[in-house]
């Protein structure tokens, strides 16, 4: 999400905050008592003060974490883009990661990712936010750096042009190469606004990006990036008195400009009529329809009822849209909503990506029927309770981390104008009635004032032009009001004159919960990890059989089995399961990977019995009804149809086949394999592998060891172990294969996906950690070599990296990037160069230390949540490793030597042994690639055969 176009704003409606205070005393928002059946959740606690220059500061100390989250939010967003400069606020967001007076470009990554943290930012219609999570002892350094870029950002031609190129690649990746990118990023805002600048796409356009200048950027910074237009929120492990000193030291001297901050004053008129539009776009695998309505501003008292309405419509598989459009009518492969909480009048949208063979009119009728139903009759009390439970549980999950709490508070302050907003909204949500929901539905969901967009594949146009959807000429914008002469110009100081970042403080160790293990009489291994900070419990039941156990010609058997266990048991239908789970505010899901299948549960601790009753039932008693199999099969086919129009997913499929061929890890779901799977195949897979002596149950969170073992015994103790022996484990070791260069031609797509892959090591292999560290150096983060060369230095991609899976048998290592089609050959060359360099010389000490810190920091954040702990422990258990290995992860990574990394690089990252797959518009790059690689083979997308090891 690095420098993301428009991030989904933090779900403030799901969070809790405390009342603001003009003093620095700890405060909490008093609220009316919610209904008796709701869970009482304490509001967040914070200290607030305001500096003389107008900067608002919120401190949220928490000694129970080893990290700190720093949020700096500015009250400026894409609605403030200057005239003729759509996408400008987002482009500027990228530039904030470049140099300051004392910091060279990319230093934020040195100060965050290279010490085990991360940084990112997002641009919304109404705000731009910058955030970091770092080990607690690095707080001072991050505060100093944030003050640096607020006060002395360096904007020069080199960094400006580089990041502008990156933003263009982001636009191509997120919009032009994505089947539905144009619909959500372009057509949705353009079709709905006549006056307000919300109607200009936040990503902008190539033309407007090209028109921007460095002078514009400097003026924009001086105009909006000032202390009286910003909020600083810090949560985590820190001493508040020391924090206040640092804030005064670094932010206090920044002057508040005398000029006013320009604000958007446009008011979108109330829509008085409906609009129906039809558009055609390339590479659209399934038609889509969207209906949008004008929505009240975020601070409207109707938002509480609209939030509940939205949950009833689209949260979970028991939601109305899923049950009606996806499950019952099967008119849609996907149906959902978008609740747009903007400061000014926003949009509430319903959309559906249609199932294969369904028409746009069927989708529109189905969506409008659900709107009409909400207007015509009250929702049920059961639906109300379900929605409220889902919202409360999500609030608790959001509060598990310092990052979640700080995001929630900052959003409340900037977008809703009140730090207590989220807490009051949660209270209001719990008092929403059925009459409230119906009243808001009648007010908002007015089909006579809606905008309907039918989004269709270009090849179905048959000569039709479709409607033109562009930004309305009446959109109110303005030129930058700050003369260029008044914008200060900063340059990077000479090395000898730069102020250096403060030194880090003493390290703070991450807390890993204690574990206890026991094996039940039926062979089920049970592991409990206790943590009582929040009333949340997570459970993972992992079965040691996944896609590698799929029968020949039946790729997808394990995945369909996992999907269907939650779609009906001997006592509950699929709808019953979804309704009962969601009424608890819980989540229950099943999935399948290469080596295992998992059922995951997240619930509040006051619903343990009900939640584990459901979990045990789906694990032990699925019925695999024929109609459910057909429904799941069709959904998988629809999803595959979408994936086969996306360069990255096609490259992943092709790479898997090219590396592993017909061996167990080489299976790729295809229309042929999915159609071949019968109910008997699914039943046989479940009977053979889903058994207690082939499973691990991990329970983490607000439960003691004895309570956890009692839960396991109560719900799984009488799960009978079959008399027959387990099937032999599949031999997933792949034979040596000839490296290939494969081009898959996807005409007219906006970008090319470039991948290079090879086969690495198994999780239990002695080379595993050296290979993990080598991969981190190559492409394991924003600061890693691939991203540095491809994105940062050349602006050829929105992001480049590499990944190494953990598997029972040797796993794939794959480097990847998306780039414009005419740069694909160049990116192939850069990847090859970096693979060669990795094994040619030892990694320098500073670089190696930074990449190790990145791995350790990611691990520390993974074990901050109950679900993260459960997932980590169950993965270890799958590989036959004890939970105590969580305690040694830091030393396992830290003890890897430069020589071990170089040896692993030579053995597993040898470019001479890699296969290259490029998916894109081959007419642009194939000839150039063929000149460099005579073995390059070209496969038209319609001829790609995922069922064959040759792909032909």
């Amino acid at each position: 999400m690095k420098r993301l176009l428009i991030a989904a704003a933090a779900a403030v409606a799901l969070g809790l905050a405390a009342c603001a205070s003009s003093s620095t005393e700890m405060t909490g928002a008093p609220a009316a008592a919610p209904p008796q059946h709701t869970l009482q959740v304490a509001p967040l606690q914070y200290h607030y003060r305001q500096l003389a220059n107008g900067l608002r500061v919120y401190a949220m100390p928490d000694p129970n974490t080893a990290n700190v989250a720093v949020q700096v939010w500015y009250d400026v967003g894409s609605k403030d883009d200057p005239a003729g400069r759509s996408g400008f606020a987002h482009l500027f967001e990228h530039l904030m990661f470049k140099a300051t007076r004392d910091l060279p470009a990319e230093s934020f990554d040195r100060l965050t990712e290279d010490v085990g943290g991360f940084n990112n930012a997002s641009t919304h219609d109404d705000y731009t936010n910058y955030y970091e999570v770092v080990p607690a002892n690095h707080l001072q350094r991050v505060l100093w750096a944030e003050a640096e870029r607020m006060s002395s950002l360096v904007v020069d031609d080199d960094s400006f042009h580089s990041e502008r190129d990156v933003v263009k690649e982001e636009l191509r990746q997120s919009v032009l190469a994505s089947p539905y990118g144009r619909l959500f990023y372009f057509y949705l805002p353009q079709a709905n606004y006549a006056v307000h600048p919300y109607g200009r796409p936040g990503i902008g356009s190539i033309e407007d990006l090209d028109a921007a200048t460095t002078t514009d950027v400097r003026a924009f910074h001086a105009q909006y990036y000032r202390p009286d237009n910003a909020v600083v929120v810090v949560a985590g492990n820190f001493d508040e008195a020391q924090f206040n000193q640092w804030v005064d030291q670094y932010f206090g001297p920044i002057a508040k400009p005398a000029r006013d901050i320009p604000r958007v004053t446009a008011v979108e008129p109330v829509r008085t009529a409906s609009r129906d539009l039809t558009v055609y776009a390339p590479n659209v695998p399934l038609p889509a329809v969207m209906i949008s309505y004008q929505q009240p501003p975020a601070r409207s008292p109707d938002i509480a009822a609209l939030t509940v309405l939205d949950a009833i419509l689209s949260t979970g598989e028991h939601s109305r849209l899923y049950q009606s459009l996806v499950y019952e009518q099967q008119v849609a492969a996907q149906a959902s909503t978008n609740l747009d909480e903007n400061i000014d009048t926003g949009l509430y949208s319903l959309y559906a990506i249609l199932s294969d063979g369904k028409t746009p009119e069927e989708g529109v009728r189905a969506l409008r029927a659900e709107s009409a139903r909400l207007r015509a009759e009250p929702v049920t009390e059961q639906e109300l309770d379900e929605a409220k439970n889902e919202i409360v549980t999500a609030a608790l999950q959001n509060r598990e981390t310092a990052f979640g709490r700080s995001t929630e508070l900052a959003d409340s302050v900037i977008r809703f104008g009140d730090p207590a907003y989220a807490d009051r909204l949660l209270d209001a949500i719990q008092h929403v009635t059925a009459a409230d929901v119906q009243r808001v539905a009648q007010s908002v969901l007015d089909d006579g004032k809606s905008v309907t967009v039918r989004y269709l594949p270009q090849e179905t146009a048959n000569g039709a032009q479709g409607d033109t959807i562009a930004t309305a000429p009446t959109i109110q914008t303005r030129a930058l009001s700050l003369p260029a002469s008044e914008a200060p110009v900063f340059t990077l100081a000479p090395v000898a004159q730069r102020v250096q970042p403060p030194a880090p403080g003493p390290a703070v160790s991450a807390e890993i919960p204690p574990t206890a293990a026991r094996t039940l009489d039926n062979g089920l291994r049970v592991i409990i990890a206790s943590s009582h900070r929040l009333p949340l419990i997570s459970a993972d039941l992992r079965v040691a059989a996944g896609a590698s156990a799929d029968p020949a010609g039946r790729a997808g058997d394990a995945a369909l089995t996992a999907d269907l266990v939650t779609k009906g048991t001997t006592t509950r239908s699929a709808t019953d399961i979804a309704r009962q789970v969601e009424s608890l505010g819980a989540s229950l899901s099943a999935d399948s990977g290469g080596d295992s299948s998992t059922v995951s549960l997240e619930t509040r601790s006051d619903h343990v019995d009900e939640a584990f009753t459901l979990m045990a039932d789906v694990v032990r008693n699925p019925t695999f009804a024929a109609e459910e199999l057909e429904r799941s099969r069709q959904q998988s086919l629809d999803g595959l149809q979408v994936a086969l129009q996306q360069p990255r997913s096609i490259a992943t499929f092709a790479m898997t086949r090219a590396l592993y061929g017909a061996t167990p890890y080489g299976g790729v779901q295809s229309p042929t394999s999915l159609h071949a799977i019968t109910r008997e195949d699914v039943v046989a897979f479940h009977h053979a592998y889903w058994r207690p002596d082939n499973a691990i149950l991990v329970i983490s969170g607000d439960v003691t060891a004895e309570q956890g073992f009692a839960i396991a015994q109560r719900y799984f103790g009488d799960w009978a172990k079959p008399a027959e022996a387990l099937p032999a484990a599949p031999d997933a070791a792949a034979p040596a294969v000839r490296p290939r260069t494969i081009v898959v031609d996807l005409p007219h797509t906006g970008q090319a996906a470039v991948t290079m892959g090879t086969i690495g090591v198994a999780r239990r292999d002695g080379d595993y950690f050296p290979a993990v560290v080598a991969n981190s150096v190559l492409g394991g983060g924003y600061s890693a070599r691939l991203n540095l060369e491809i994105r940062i230095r050349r602006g050829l991609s929105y992001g480049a990296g590499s990944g190494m899976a953990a598997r029972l048998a040797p796993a794939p290592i794959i480097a990847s990037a998306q780039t414009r089609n005419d740069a694909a050959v160049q990116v192939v060359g850069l990847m090859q160069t970096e693979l060669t360099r990795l094994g040619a010389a030892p990694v320098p000490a500073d670089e190696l230390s930074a990449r190790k810190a990145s791995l350790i920091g990611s691990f520390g954040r993974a074990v901050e949540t109950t679900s993260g702990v459960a997932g980590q422990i169950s993965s270890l258990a799958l590989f036959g490793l004890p939970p105590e290995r969580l305690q040694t992860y830091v030393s396992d990574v830290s003890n890897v030597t430069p020589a071990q990394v170089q040896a692993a690089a030579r053995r597993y990252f040898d470019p001479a042994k890699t296969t290259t797959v490029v998916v894109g518009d081959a007419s642009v790059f194939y000839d150039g690639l063929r000149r460099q690689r005579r073995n390059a083979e070209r496969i038209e997308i319609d001829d790609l055969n995922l069922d064959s090891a040759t792909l032909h």
Side-chain angles (χ1 to χ4, degrees):
M1 213 180 84
K2 190 82 171 195
R3 293 44 147 174
L4 190 61
L5 159 70
I6 299 175
V12 68
L14 308 182
L16 306 170
C19 275
S21 169
S22 58
S23 70
T24 59
E25 294 182 3
M26 188 73 80
T27 61
Q36 290 293 320
H37 60 275
T38 61
L39 181 68
Q40 300 293 313
V41 181
L44 292 179
Q45 302 293 306
Y46 63 84
H47 299 147
Y48 167 71
R49 67 193 185 106
Q50 183 169 322
L51 305 190
N53 59 12
L55 182 70
R56 292 159 287 173
V57 182
Y58 296 82
M60 307 171 73
D62 174 15
N64 297 311
T65 177
N67 297 316
V68 289
V70 178
Q71 305 263 0
V72 181
W73 289 41
Y74 292 90
D75 194 357
V76 56
S78 56
K79 71 180 180 187
D80 301 295
D81 287 345
R85 299 290 188 272
S86 65
F88 194 84
H90 169 237
L91 170 61
F92 183 81
E93 173 214 314
H94 283 241
L95 293 167
M96 281 283 281
F97 290 87
K98 293 301 181 181
T100 71
R101 180 183 51 223
D102 297 307
L103 282 172
E106 318 308 334
S107 289
F108 263 81
D109 300 298
R110 308 286 82 78
L111 294 172
T112 54
E113 185 176 313
D114 288 6
V115 301
F118 71 87
N119 69 79
N120 215 321
S122 68
T123 304
H124 184 271
D125 284 331
D126 293 320
Y127 62 82
T128 310
N129 61 344
Y130 303 84
Y131 47 88
E132 300 85 31
V133 176
V134 292
N137 58 318
H138 289 266
L139 172 60
Q140 183 183 8
R141 295 157 63 84
V142 171
L143 292 173
W144 172 81
E146 283 287 7
E148 273 275 316
R149 65 177 170 184
M150 181 185 288
S151 61
S152 64
L153 184 70
V154 172
V155 180
D156 56 33
D157 286 339
D158 288 344
S159 62
F160 172 71
H161 291 133
S162 172
E163 282 308 306
R164 184 168 61 182
D165 286 344
V166 169
V167 171
K168 291 179 185 178
E169 292 310 309
E170 182 181 355
L171 189 154
R172 293 184 178 103
Q173 177 175 319
S174 300
V175 181
L176 303 182
S178 172
Y180 303 98
R182 291 173 175 84
L183 175 62
F184 292 108
Y185 285 96
F186 284 169
Y187 302 150
L188 175 62
Q190 288 171 336
N192 279 279
Y193 288 98
V195 172
H196 200 286
Y198 288 159
R200 295 178 304 169
I203 187 65
S205 67
I206 298 294
E207 295 76 18
D208 279 5
L209 291 170
D210 281 338
T213 68
T214 53
T215 302
D216 295 335
V217 173
R218 292 175 184 136
F220 193 83
H221 184 271
Q223 189 95 282
Y224 294 106
Y225 280 70
R226 41 193 279 179
D228 55 328
N229 200 40
V231 170
V232 174
V233 180
V234 176
N237 195 332
F238 61 90
D239 176 80
E240 189 183 358
Q242 180 64 78
F243 166 74
N244 286 334
Q245 291 179 16
W246 289 333
V247 169
D248 290 341
Q249 179 180 352
Y250 301 128
F251 290 95
I254 302 174
K256 170 184 173 181
R259 57 186 172 272
D260 291 335
I261 302 171
R263 297 299 185 196
V264 170
T265 58
V267 177
E268 184 68 20
V270 174
R271 194 180 297 142
T272 58
S274 63
R275 295 181 71 196
D276 275 63
L277 302 159
T278 298
V279 293
Y280 298 92
N283 297 317
V284 176
L286 296 168
V289 293
M290 176 178 287
I291 303 176
S292 300
Y293 307 90
Q294 287 188 321
Q295 175 187 310
R299 301 173 190 181
S300 165
D302 284 344
I303 290 296
L306 186 59
T307 301
V308 175
L309 179 155
D310 184 61
I312 291 169
L313 262 185
S314 64
T315 299
E317 292 190 357
H318 191 242
S319 65
R320 288 191 173 189
L321 288 183
Y322 182 89
Q323 283 292 309
S324 177
L325 276 72
V326 179
Y327 185 79
E328 295 172 1
Q329 300 181 62
Q330 299 182 55
V331 70
Q334 179 184 339
S336 193
T337 60
N338 181 56
L339 193 158
D340 198 7
E341 292 179 303
N342 282 349
I343 290 176
D344 300 319
T345 299
L347 301 176
Y348 186 72
S349 306
L350 285 67
Y351 69 87
I353 297 173
L354 303 180
S355 294
D356 191 24
K358 301 300 181 180
T359 68
E361 292 313 312
E362 289 177 287
V364 170
R365 281 198 302 270
L367 289 176
R368 285 182 177 157
E370 291 308 315
S371 294
R373 183 180 166 202
L374 282 166
R375 294 192 302 267
E377 59 188 44
V379 300
T380 67
E381 288 300 318
Q382 182 183 61
E383 287 178 305
L384 273 180
D385 288 344
E386 181 180 310
K388 293 172 184 179
N389 273 320
E390 288 167 337
I391 291 169
V392 170
T393 301
L396 288 170
Q397 291 168 340
N398 192 52
R399 295 185 58 197
E400 283 196 90
T401 65
F403 175 72
R405 296 189 295 273
S406 59
T407 301
E408 178 183 305
L409 182 59
D411 195 24
S412 290
V413 173
I414 285 288
R415 194 150 49 127
F416 301 96
D418 178 7
Y421 170 84
D423 187 41
R424 288 208 300 271
L425 179 60
L426 186 68
D427 179 65
I429 284 169
Q430 297 192 69
H431 288 86
V432 165
T433 66
D436 293 330
V437 173
Q438 186 178 21
R439 173 182 55 79
V440 169
Q442 292 170 344
S443 171
V444 174
L445 306 181
D446 184 346
D447 283 336
K449 301 176 183 178
S450 63
V451 172
T452 301
V453 178
R454 295 165 179 83
Y455 183 76
L456 309 179
Q458 185 69 59
E459 58 269 24
T460 66
N462 296 322
Q465 294 300 309
D467 293 295
T468 299
I469 303 182
T471 301
T474 53
I475 292 288
Q476 295 181 14
T477 57
R478 60 175 181 272
L480 279 167
S481 57
L482 181 70
S485 59
E486 294 184 23
V489 178
F490 297 99
T491 58
L492 181 64
V495 174
Q497 298 176 22
R498 293 177 201 164
V499 176
Q500 295 302 307
V508 180
S509 299
E511 291 187 13
I512 298 175
T515 59
R518 185 179 296 174
T519 300
L520 304 187
D521 291 343
N522 58 7
L524 178 67
R525 189 174 180 210
V526 181
I527 304 171
I528 312 299
S530 302
S531 174
H532 303 286
R533 288 190 299 143
L534 288 170
L536 294 174
I537 291 177
S538 293
D540 260 23
L541 189 139
R542 188 178 295 259
V543 176
S548 60
D550 284 344
R554 300 291 194 273
D557 192 10
L560 279 177
T561 303
D563 184 55
L564 289 169
V565 297
T566 62
K567 299 301 188 295
T569 69
T570 53
T571 58
R572 295 175 173 88
S573 69
T575 300
D576 291 336
I577 293 167
R579 174 179 52 79
Q580 292 175 29
V581 168
E582 292 168 28
S583 69
L584 303 174
S587 64
L588 181 66
S589 61
D591 197 9
S592 179
D595 295 316
S596 64
S597 302
T598 307
V599 174
S600 299
L601 171 70
E602 294 183 59
T603 186
R604 293 174 359 203
S605 51
D606 59 336
H607 291 317
V608 165
D609 290 335
E610 303 99 314
F612 275 91
T613 295
L614 291 164
M615 183 182 193
D617 194 27
V618 302
V619 168
R620 300 173 56 179
N621 306 311
T623 54
F624 303 113
E627 63 270 22
E628 294 296 345
L629 172 61
E630 292 310 313
R631 186 178 285 111
S632 182
R633 189 200 316 273
Q634 187 57 52
Q635 290 175 357
S636 297
L637 289 167
D638 288 340
L640 185 60
Q641 192 167 339
V642 173
L644 287 173
Q645 290 294 325
Q646 296 178 300
R648 188 181 297 274
S649 55
I650 297 170
T652 300
F653 297 154
M655 181 65 76
T656 298
R657 268 299 187 197
L659 290 179
Y660 288 99
T663 65
Y665 282 168
V668 177
Q669 292 183 36
S670 72
T672 301
S673 72
L674 287 170
H675 279 299
I677 297 169
T678 66
R679 180 180 182 276
E680 289 71 26
D681 293 326
V682 173
V683 170
F685 192 97
H686 186 272
H687 179 75
Y689 296 108
W690 287 63
R691 44 192 282 172
D693 55 332
N694 194 41
I696 306 114
L697 175 64
V698 179
I699 303 174
S700 65
D702 189 22
V703 60
T704 66
E706 288 310 310
Q707 288 171 337
F709 292 134
I711 290 169
Q713 183 64 45
R714 184 179 313 131
Y715 297 104
F716 296 97
D718 61 349
W719 184 13
K721 178 175 69 174
E724 61 265 32
L726 267 168
D731 180 7
V737 294
R738 173 181 57 87
R740 299 168 64 184
T741 299
I742 301 165
V743 171
V744 179
D745 184 17
L746 187 66
H748 311 301
T749 191
Q751 274 190 324
V754 179
T755 58
M756 280 190 174
T758 185
I759 295 175
V761 299
R763 174 62 180 84
R764 292 189 62 122
D765 193 294
D767 282 342
Y768 175 75
F769 280 103
V772 165
V773 175
N775 179 71
S776 183
V777 173
L778 176 68
Y782 190 79
S783 301
R785 291 180 176 183
L786 287 175
N787 200 62
L788 179 64
E789 290 299 321
I790 295 171
R791 171 182 167 150
I792 296 172
R793 290 181 177 164
R794 291 172 174 82
L796 295 175
S797 177
Y798 184 43
S802 61
M804 191 185 90
R807 298 265 184 91
L808 287 167
I813 300 171
I814 300 175
S816 63
Q818 282 196 199
T819 187
R820 63 181 194 271
N821 285 289
D822 65 342
V825 177
Q826 184 181 358
V827 170
V828 168
L830 291 169
M831 284 186 177
Q832 182 166 329
T833 297
E834 289 309 314
L835 284 165
T836 301
R837 186 162 74 99
L838 190 63
V843 180
D846 288 350
E847 183 183 9
L848 188 60
S849 176
R851 303 317 305 151
K852 289 179 179 180
S854 177
L855 288 168
I856 292 167
S858 295
F859 168 77
R861 292 188 296 276
V863 296
E864 272 192 310
T865 65
T866 58
S867 60
V869 168
Q872 291 280 338
I873 293 175
S874 67
S875 293
L876 287 173
L878 171 69
F879 301 123
L881 300 170
E884 290 76 21
R885 289 298 293 270
L886 284 182
Q887 308 287 345
T888 67
Y889 181 89
V890 172
S891 60
D892 289 337
V893 171
S894 299
N895 292 336
V896 173
T897 67
Q900 289 175 314
V901 172
Q902 187 178 9
R906 288 175 172 170
R907 190 173 302 126
Y908 305 110
F909 295 77
D910 182 356
K913 299 177 181 178
T914 61
T915 284
T916 300
V917 177
V918 185
V919 181
D921 192 337
S923 65
V924 178
F925 61 81
Y926 178 71
D927 289 345
L929 185 61
R930 177 85 173 170
R931 283 192 290 271
Q932 293 186 9
R933 299 187 172 207
R934 302 306 301 172
N935 72 329
E937 51 188 296
R938 178 170 174 171
I939 305 173
E940 302 303 315
I941 185 62
D942 291 339
D943 297 328
L944 181 67
N945 184 0
L946 297 177
D947 299 301
S948 167
T950 67
L951 294 170
H952 292 282

